[in-house]
Amino acid sequence: MPRALLLTGDAAEELDTMYPYYRVQEGGWDVDVSSRTMRDVQLVIHEFDPNSDAYVEKNGRKLPVDVPWAEVDVERYDALIIPGGRAPEWIRVDADVRRITEHFFARNLPIALVCHGAQVPAVYGLLKGRKTACFPPITGDMENAGATVIDAPDVVDGNLVSCRGWPDMPQFGRVMMEVFSKSINSASA
């Protein structure tokens, strides 16, 4: 059975995380959650409030962790998922997160980026020359990293599939599974 790695940490957005987590399982994949430690990840809920200039944040569910970053054997995984929220801001400074992310890019394995998730590969220069979607306020960051930002719910660039955030999940989930399945079908052919 194919296996995806969901790379995350505290303050990951709940829908950005849980929708792909369940969608890959619905598609017949196993998925392991990876964070800094084995402590449950504190997810957050980002909602848009007409009385606020930015999204508002509330605590969400706790997500159990299967493997800490330092113990991830990247050879066990067929795809990578990096959800958004605030987690990408801080997880990207970890050496193991870099090791993991660079592995998937170097081997052209499927990678799903949700919302702020694009911040992780961007900081390593891995989005240079690539097309990506992202949460609109970080468009300048992605462009400064050499990416071309496409304002769409389901952007595909080879092995890379991305979206702007949780409102895109119906379109994104479908396309993510197409990219993931295509990779598995190509590998077994």
Side-chain angles (χ1 to χ4, degrees):
M1 181 177 289
R3 180 178 298 275
L5 182 68
L6 194 147
L7 193 59
T8 195
D10 286 335
E13 208 287 327
E14 185 171 289
L15 290 174
D16 286 359
T17 305
M18 298 309 294
Y19 189 96
Y21 175 77
Y22 287 123
R23 184 64 188 95
V24 295
Q25 292 176 68
E26 291 169 356
W29 287 57
D30 282 336
V31 60
D32 287 342
V33 174
S34 184
S35 189
R36 181 188 315 237
T37 69
M38 289 297 293
R39 179 182 49 79
D40 289 355
V41 170
Q42 176 62 63
L43 300 175
V44 297
I45 299 167
H46 288 165
E47 295 186 305
F48 301 100
D49 181 339
N51 296 314
S52 178
D53 290 331
Y55 55 80
V56 294
E57 182 174 286
K58 303 172 192 173
N59 275 348
R61 290 173 174 76
K62 300 270 190 174
L63 180 64
V65 173
D66 299 298
V67 60
W69 301 327
E71 295 176 21
V72 169
D73 175 2
V74 291
E75 299 299 333
R76 294 188 62 221
Y77 298 97
D78 303 295
L80 178 66
I81 303 165
I82 306 177
R86 287 186 298 108
E89 296 172 8
W90 70 269
I91 73 171
R92 62 189 172 165
V93 301
D94 187 276
D96 284 305
V97 168
R98 182 176 192 145
R99 170 184 63 85
I100 294 163
T101 304
E102 287 178 341
H103 167 84
F104 285 90
F105 274 86
R107 285 167 182 74
N108 205 33
L109 294 169
I111 300 160
L113 304 175
V114 180
C115 196
H116 287 80
Q119 290 177 309
V120 175
V123 77
Y124 311 139
L126 300 172
L127 294 182
K128 187 173 186 170
R130 303 295 299 265
K131 293 181 204 156
T132 191
C134 64
F135 188 59
I138 66 168
T139 295
D141 298 333
M142 296 305 105
E143 291 172 343
N144 287 335
T148 299
V149 175
I150 309 295
D151 184 19
D154 53 359
V155 175
V156 176
D157 183 1
N159 65 315
L160 184 64
V161 58
S162 57
C163 72
R164 298 167 296 199
W166 60 260
D168 294 338
M169 286 299 151
Q171 301 93 328
F172 173 75
R174 190 170 36 256
V175 174
M176 177 184 68
M177 290 314 300
E178 289 171 7
V179 170
F180 282 22
S181 296
K182 180 180 175 185
S183 172
I184 291 301
N185 293 337
S186 296
S188 62

mmCIF file of all heavy atoms in Angstrom, residues 133-151:
data_model
loop_
_atom_site.group_PDB
_atom_site.id
_atom_site.type_symbol
_atom_site.label_atom_id
_atom_site.label_comp_id
_atom_site.label_asym_id
_atom_site.label_seq_id
_atom_site.Cartn_x
_atom_site.Cartn_y
_atom_site.Cartn_z
ATOM 1 N N ALA A 133 0.435 27.403 -6.079
ATOM 2 C CA ALA A 133 -0.590 28.222 -5.450
ATOM 3 C C ALA A 133 -0.144 28.437 -4.009
ATOM 4 O O ALA A 133 0.721 27.707 -3.502
ATOM 5 C CB ALA A 133 -1.944 27.523 -5.489
ATOM 6 N N CYS A 134 -0.716 29.432 -3.358
ATOM 7 C CA CYS A 134 -0.408 29.683 -1.952
ATOM 8 C C CYS A 134 -1.461 30.629 -1.394
ATOM 9 O O CYS A 134 -2.246 31.202 -2.148
ATOM 10 C CB CYS A 134 0.986 30.287 -1.792
ATOM 11 S SG CYS A 134 1.182 31.910 -2.555
ATOM 12 N N PHE A 135 -1.448 30.795 -0.087
ATOM 13 C CA PHE A 135 -2.325 31.787 0.528
ATOM 14 C C PHE A 135 -1.927 33.146 -0.046
ATOM 15 O O PHE A 135 -0.735 33.512 -0.018
ATOM 16 C CB PHE A 135 -2.161 31.734 2.050
ATOM 17 C CG PHE A 135 -3.144 32.583 2.793
ATOM 18 C CD1 PHE A 135 -4.508 32.376 2.657
ATOM 19 C CD2 PHE A 135 -2.706 33.583 3.638
ATOM 20 C CE1 PHE A 135 -5.421 33.151 3.350
ATOM 21 C CE2 PHE A 135 -3.608 34.369 4.336
ATOM 22 C CZ PHE A 135 -4.973 34.150 4.195
ATOM 23 N N PRO A 136 -2.864 33.900 -0.617
ATOM 24 C CA PRO A 136 -2.516 35.121 -1.361
ATOM 25 C C PRO A 136 -1.553 36.090 -0.678
ATOM 26 O O PRO A 136 -0.665 36.631 -1.348
ATOM 27 C CB PRO A 136 -3.885 35.752 -1.650
ATOM 28 C CG PRO A 136 -4.796 34.563 -1.762
ATOM 29 C CD PRO A 136 -4.298 33.593 -0.703
ATOM 30 N N PRO A 137 -1.624 36.346 0.653
ATOM 31 C CA PRO A 137 -0.684 37.283 1.251
ATOM 32 C C PRO A 137 0.790 36.864 1.199
ATOM 33 O O PRO A 137 1.666 37.703 1.408
ATOM 34 C CB PRO A 137 -1.166 37.398 2.693
ATOM 35 C CG PRO A 137 -2.624 37.136 2.614
ATOM 36 C CD PRO A 137 -2.739 36.047 1.583
ATOM 37 N N ILE A 138 1.089 35.582 0.913
ATOM 38 C CA ILE A 138 2.506 35.188 0.818
ATOM 39 C C ILE A 138 2.971 35.072 -0.637
ATOM 40 O O ILE A 138 4.060 34.556 -0.893
ATOM 41 C CB ILE A 138 2.809 33.894 1.613
ATOM 42 C CG1 ILE A 138 2.103 32.672 1.032
ATOM 43 C CG2 ILE A 138 2.488 34.087 3.091
ATOM 44 C CD1 ILE A 138 2.609 31.349 1.598
ATOM 45 N N THR A 139 2.183 35.595 -1.564
ATOM 46 C CA THR A 139 2.558 35.569 -2.983
ATOM 47 C C THR A 139 3.932 36.190 -3.202
ATOM 48 O O THR A 139 4.770 35.626 -3.914
ATOM 49 C CB THR A 139 1.497 36.292 -3.833
ATOM 50 O OG1 THR A 139 0.276 35.542 -3.751
ATOM 51 C CG2 THR A 139 1.919 36.426 -5.280
ATOM 52 N N GLY A 140 4.201 37.334 -2.592
ATOM 53 C CA GLY A 140 5.500 37.996 -2.754
ATOM 54 C C GLY A 140 6.652 37.131 -2.273
ATOM 55 O O GLY A 140 7.714 37.091 -2.904
ATOM 56 N N ASP A 141 6.449 36.411 -1.179
ATOM 57 C CA ASP A 141 7.482 35.502 -0.676
ATOM 58 C C ASP A 141 7.785 34.414 -1.703
ATOM 59 O O ASP A 141 8.942 34.053 -1.919
ATOM 60 C CB ASP A 141 7.042 34.843 0.636
ATOM 61 C CG ASP A 141 6.805 35.840 1.755
ATOM 62 O OD1 ASP A 141 7.428 36.928 1.732
ATOM 63 O OD2 ASP A 141 6.001 35.542 2.646
ATOM 64 N N MET A 142 6.725 33.866 -2.303
ATOM 65 C CA MET A 142 6.911 32.791 -3.286
ATOM 66 C C MET A 142 7.609 33.330 -4.538
ATOM 67 O O MET A 142 8.508 32.684 -5.087
ATOM 68 C CB MET A 142 5.570 32.164 -3.672
ATOM 69 C CG MET A 142 4.844 31.471 -2.532
ATOM 70 S SD MET A 142 5.816 30.209 -1.690
ATOM 71 C CE MET A 142 6.248 31.047 -0.172
ATOM 72 N N GLU A 143 7.206 34.509 -4.977
ATOM 73 C CA GLU A 143 7.842 35.114 -6.153
ATOM 74 C C GLU A 143 9.306 35.442 -5.876
ATOM 75 O O GLU A 143 10.168 35.234 -6.736
ATOM 76 C CB GLU A 143 7.061 36.357 -6.590
ATOM 77 C CG GLU A 143 5.700 35.999 -7.162
ATOM 78 C CD GLU A 143 4.805 37.193 -7.424
ATOM 79 O OE1 GLU A 143 5.068 38.297 -6.889
ATOM 80 O OE2 GLU A 143 3.813 37.013 -8.150
ATOM 81 N N ASN A 144 9.612 35.914 -4.666
ATOM 82 C CA ASN A 144 11.002 36.179 -4.294
ATOM 83 C C ASN A 144 11.826 34.901 -4.223
ATOM 84 O O ASN A 144 13.049 34.930 -4.362
ATOM 85 C CB ASN A 144 11.080 36.942 -2.970
ATOM 86 C CG ASN A 144 10.662 38.387 -3.128
ATOM 87 O OD1 ASN A 144 10.742 38.964 -4.208
ATOM 88 N ND2 ASN A 144 10.181 38.975 -2.048
ATOM 89 N N ALA A 145 11.155 33.758 -4.022
ATOM 90 C CA ALA A 145 11.835 32.458 -4.009
ATOM 91 C C ALA A 145 11.951 31.879 -5.419
ATOM 92 O O ALA A 145 12.456 30.776 -5.590
ATOM 93 C CB ALA A 145 11.086 31.486 -3.106
ATOM 94 N N GLY A 146 11.469 32.643 -6.420
ATOM 95 C CA GLY A 146 11.599 32.205 -7.806
ATOM 96 C C GLY A 146 10.423 31.426 -8.352
ATOM 97 O O GLY A 146 10.480 30.911 -9.477
ATOM 98 N N ALA A 147 9.341 31.327 -7.604
ATOM 99 C CA ALA A 147 8.160 30.595 -8.061
ATOM 100 C C ALA A 147 7.236 31.517 -8.855
ATOM 101 O O ALA A 147 7.234 32.728 -8.673
ATOM 102 C CB ALA A 147 7.401 30.021 -6.870
ATOM 103 N N THR A 148 6.446 30.911 -9.714
ATOM 104 C CA THR A 148 5.349 31.599 -10.382
ATOM 105 C C THR A 148 4.087 31.208 -9.645
ATOM 106 O O THR A 148 3.750 30.015 -9.571
ATOM 107 C CB THR A 148 5.238 31.177 -11.862
ATOM 108 O OG1 THR A 148 6.454 31.519 -12.525
ATOM 109 C CG2 THR A 148 4.070 31.853 -12.541
ATOM 110 N N VAL A 149 3.397 32.183 -9.078
ATOM 111 C CA VAL A 149 2.194 31.907 -8.301
ATOM 112 C C VAL A 149 0.982 31.960 -9.223
ATOM 113 O O VAL A 149 0.789 32.911 -9.966
ATOM 114 C CB VAL A 149 2.039 32.900 -7.133
ATOM 115 C CG1 VAL A 149 0.723 32.688 -6.403
ATOM 116 C CG2 VAL A 149 3.213 32.761 -6.170
ATOM 117 N N ILE A 150 0.189 30.904 -9.157
ATOM 118 C CA ILE A 150 -1.049 30.798 -9.918
ATOM 119 C C ILE A 150 -2.208 30.871 -8.930
ATOM 120 O O ILE A 150 -2.243 30.114 -7.953
ATOM 121 C CB ILE A 150 -1.117 29.454 -10.698
ATOM 122 C CG1 ILE A 150 0.149 29.221 -11.522
ATOM 123 C CG2 ILE A 150 -2.379 29.378 -11.539
ATOM 124 C CD1 ILE A 150 0.386 30.187 -12.642
ATOM 125 N N ASP A 151 -3.126 31.782 -9.170
ATOM 126 C CA ASP A 151 -4.275 31.972 -8.291
ATOM 127 C C ASP A 151 -5.381 31.000 -8.718
ATOM 128 O O ASP A 151 -6.270 31.345 -9.487
ATOM 129 C CB ASP A 151 -4.758 33.415 -8.369
ATOM 130 C CG ASP A 151 -5.890 33.707 -7.399
ATOM 131 O OD1 ASP A 151 -6.076 32.941 -6.435
ATOM 132 O OD2 ASP A 151 -6.603 34.721 -7.618
#
